[in-house]
Amino acid sequence: MIAAAQSTDAALLEVADISKTFVSGGRKVEALHDVTFSVRGGQVSGLIGPDAAGKTTLMRLITGLLIPDHGHINVLGLDATRDSLQVQANVGYMPQRFGLYEDLTI
């Protein structure tokens, strides 16, 4: 969820020509290809699609947790790649599956 007291005319989220590819089992898997959209203040938006459609990858890119292969993401006036810590401080993101447990040790 992105919340800000900004004008409804301003784009709170701009995603431009985003592409992301992963290597899995020696083969390239294209998770996202040239995705472009914007969300303006005052809009309610949802990210909906089947399994493996790229929703989680897109959310990780928006929050600066991943770096896109191509394209640009602007969140609340911040570059999601360059200013990822500032983006994360201003955006609430709760993934369906908590991915930290496998990284924790006793």
Side-chain angles (χ1 to χ4, degrees):
M1 170 181 237
I2 299 174
Q6 294 187 6
S7 166
T8 57
D9 292 337
L12 300 179
L13 171 63
E14 294 177 307
V15 176
D17 300 319
I18 290 296
S19 295
K20 183 66 179 174
T21 304
F22 297 98
V23 176
S24 177
R27 68 181 190 106
K28 280 178 102 172
V29 177
E30 189 172 45
L32 299 169
H33 178 76
D34 293 336
V35 175
T36 298
F37 67 92
S38 66
V39 177
R40 304 223 174 275
Q43 289 184 315
V44 176
S45 302
L47 186 57
I48 302 168
D51 289 349
K55 301 177 301 292
T56 299
T57 299
L58 181 58
M59 288 303 299
R60 289 178 178 171
L61 289 163
I62 289 169
T63 56
L65 298 172
L66 285 177
I67 297 172
D69 297 336
H70 179 283
H72 179 79
I73 300 174
N74 185 293
V75 180
L76 302 172
L78 301 166
D79 182 301
T81 300
R82 188 181 60 240
D83 305 316
S84 62
L85 292 178
Q86 288 178 289
V87 169
Q88 292 164 23
N90 286 286
V91 174
Y93 169 57
M94 180 56 146
Q96 183 176 357
R97 180 178 162 270
F98 184 64
L100 185 59
Y101 292 128
E102 57 267 5
D103 294 332
L104 298 176
T105 60
I106 295 178

